[in-house]
Amino acid sequence: MAGTLLEHQKLLQAARRDFAEGGPLPQHLLAPPLQRSWERLRRSGMQPREAPLPQPRLNCVPQLEHNDDRRLARCAQYDMDQLWSAFGGRQWTLFCVNADGFIVAQREHGLTDSPLLRPIQVGRHLRESHLGTTAPTCALSDDVPTLVRGNEHYLDHFSAMFCLSVPLHGLEGEVLGALDITGTGARSGELLLDYFRQAALSVENRLMLECRPCHLLGLQHDARWLNTPFQGLLAVSEDGRIHAANRVARRLLGLPQRGPLPGLTLEGVFAGANIHQRRRLLQPGPARRIRLAEDSAVQVQYLRAPVPRRGSVSVPTAAREAAKGSLRAQGVQAVRDAVVTCKGNVSAAARRLGISRTTLYRKLQQGD
């Protein structure tokens, strides 16, 4: 495996030189977002041998001037801390950028001595025209998770670097920014991608919590994924209009993946529910099964009432606890919570979760 990667890097080095001189790129040598980036840079006249031109920080002391940047940094903080505790190190940095490539939050090792990492600081812009091909610029421009290793960077200066980015999306499905890890060591891109995708969903869910004047509903086909980063979220006004929906909710309900949702109401989305079910959607209580179509239903959980604008957003205890463990631990905890809610009635707990009693017992044994 290491030999194959080394050979690929040598091919990239030669191909980059020929490409900069006007030659074609071998097919399938680069992922499409990276190839498009190389093509843009060649058209701009940039040469691989050039030195990068990092922009100066806007402030000597990191300070975010815009509310949107402060909100994004605040919502990304918890998940960045978790990712850093798992993957951080002296030769690595982890950061969050907004849609313009402006770094709004960062985690780094206090003793890092890498000249490649030191310029990555809150208050700087990461622009393709100054740094060549990087994971955050590709993730932002193409709206796809992006991995850039070694000579996949357009500039020779970054040939020793590894960077991976996943896009973050706002309340209307727009690209709001990206989470990135960059360093000079060796990491499994596939492993990191799984964790960063989950972190991105978690950050987006925290952004949904900022819809203070709205009720917040969680939904999923499988109740075990409620109160996890994989739940759908709907922000609903008092009159039943849907103010916002996260990516998961849009997929579950067949809604457009981007753009506002004008005229969309709970009554329209859950047309298959009876009047009593729809009335209880905005009332606290256990998750309720709501029919979407003849052969499809979702579990809907009421999470939070509207919060005054000057008040603090209270994250449900179940959501906070579920976010702390692994996916397996979250499943075990969901089973335990169901058993407690059903006062020890195993059959009722299994029905509540939509699983068999055998599966429920097995989950409980996993947690012992």
Side-chain angles (χ1 to χ4, degrees):
M1 182 69 177
T4 302
L5 183 59
L6 183 60
E7 291 175 5
H8 181 66
Q9 289 294 319
K10 290 181 179 178
L11 286 174
L12 282 165
Q13 188 175 22
R16 184 174 56 200
R17 181 178 60 251
D18 295 340
F19 179 76
E21 294 174 355
L25 268 178
Q27 286 189 346
H28 311 302
L29 186 65
L30 286 174
L34 305 188
Q35 181 169 334
R36 287 190 285 271
S37 175
W38 280 31
E39 291 169 349
R40 288 192 296 268
L41 292 167
R42 184 172 68 175
R43 287 195 298 270
S44 73
M46 181 180 284
Q47 292 293 317
R49 62 179 178 274
E50 293 180 17
L53 299 172
Q55 292 186 321
R57 289 167 65 175
L58 298 185
N59 298 295
C60 295
V61 178
Q63 184 177 356
L64 303 179
E65 298 179 353
H66 301 291
N67 288 336
D68 289 344
D69 290 342
R70 289 196 292 269
R71 182 183 301 112
L72 179 59
R74 182 172 64 248
C75 291
Q77 177 181 351
Y78 174 81
D79 292 280
M80 289 181 65
D81 287 342
Q82 300 306 304
L83 290 170
W84 181 254
S85 68
F87 304 112
R90 188 165 180 170
Q91 298 303 316
W92 295 89
T93 186
L94 194 151
F95 57 91
C96 177
V97 296
N98 67 12
D100 294 324
F102 182 77
I103 301 175
V104 300
Q106 183 198 21
R107 298 292 179 272
E108 63 177 346
H109 196 284
L111 298 178
T112 184
D113 55 358
S114 171
L116 293 173
L117 299 181
R118 281 200 300 267
I120 302 175
Q121 298 288 335
V122 172
R124 277 203 166 102
H125 275 99
L126 303 181
R127 300 193 187 280
E128 186 177 75
S129 57
H130 293 82
L131 303 175
T133 301
T134 64
T137 57
C138 290
L140 292 174
S141 63
D142 285 63
D143 189 13
V144 292
T146 305
L147 172 63
V148 186
R149 289 181 286 199
N151 288 312
E152 291 175 338
H153 291 88
Y154 188 75
L155 294 183
D156 298 338
H157 183 82
F158 297 122
S159 61
M161 295 190 74
F162 170 111
C163 57
L164 179 144
S165 289
V166 294
L168 300 170
H169 297 85
L171 301 184
E172 295 185 358
E174 77 281 13
V175 176
L176 197 65
L179 278 178
D180 180 277
I181 184 169
T182 292
T184 57
R187 288 284 168 83
S188 167
E190 293 73 18
L191 174 67
L192 283 176
L193 187 57
D194 288 340
Y195 281 97
F196 272 70
R197 277 175 167 159
Q198 178 172 326
L201 291 174
S202 180
V203 173
E204 292 167 13
N205 286 358
R206 293 176 192 280
L207 287 166
M208 286 287 292
L209 291 174
E210 299 282 329
C211 295
R212 294 169 179 259
C214 296
H215 297 271
L216 204 64
L217 301 181
L219 61 151
Q220 250 296 352
H221 290 305
D222 189 333
R224 291 170 295 183
W225 300 116
L226 292 171
N227 293 313
T228 76
F230 302 102
Q231 70 178 345
L233 289 178
L234 295 177
V236 185
S237 60
E238 287 286 1
D239 59 3
R241 290 185 296 108
I242 295 179
H243 175 71
N246 70 352
R247 281 190 292 161
V248 177
R250 287 171 181 255
R251 285 197 296 267
L252 291 172
L253 300 174
L255 303 176
Q257 287 301 294
R258 292 180 183 272
L261 303 170
L264 197 63
T265 64
L266 281 181
E267 183 176 357
V269 169
F270 299 112
N274 60 48
I275 187 172
H276 302 292
Q277 288 176 320
R278 287 200 294 269
R279 185 180 298 127
R280 290 196 295 267
L281 284 173
L282 298 184
Q283 298 175 1
R288 299 179 173 92
R289 181 179 182 273
I290 305 296
R291 183 178 295 278
L292 294 178
E294 185 64 28
D295 55 355
S296 177
V298 291
Q299 299 287 336
V300 181
Q301 173 76 61
Y302 184 83
L303 298 179
R304 192 205 70 199
V307 178
R309 290 190 178 277
R310 292 188 177 182
S312 60
V313 176
S314 176
V315 182
T317 301
R320 288 199 304 269
E321 294 303 319
K324 293 181 180 178
S326 65
L327 294 183
R328 178 176 175 179
Q330 292 172 17
V332 172
Q333 188 59 47
V335 169
R336 288 175 171 170
D337 291 344
V339 172
V340 172
T341 301
C342 297
K343 300 180 180 180
N345 188 325
V346 174
S347 297
R351 287 195 299 271
R352 178 184 176 86
L353 293 172
I355 60 178
S356 68
R357 290 198 303 171
T358 302
T359 301
L360 186 145
Y361 280 122
R362 185 171 67 250
K363 289 284 186 182
L364 290 175
Q365 291 170 355
Q366 289 174 357
D368 292 338

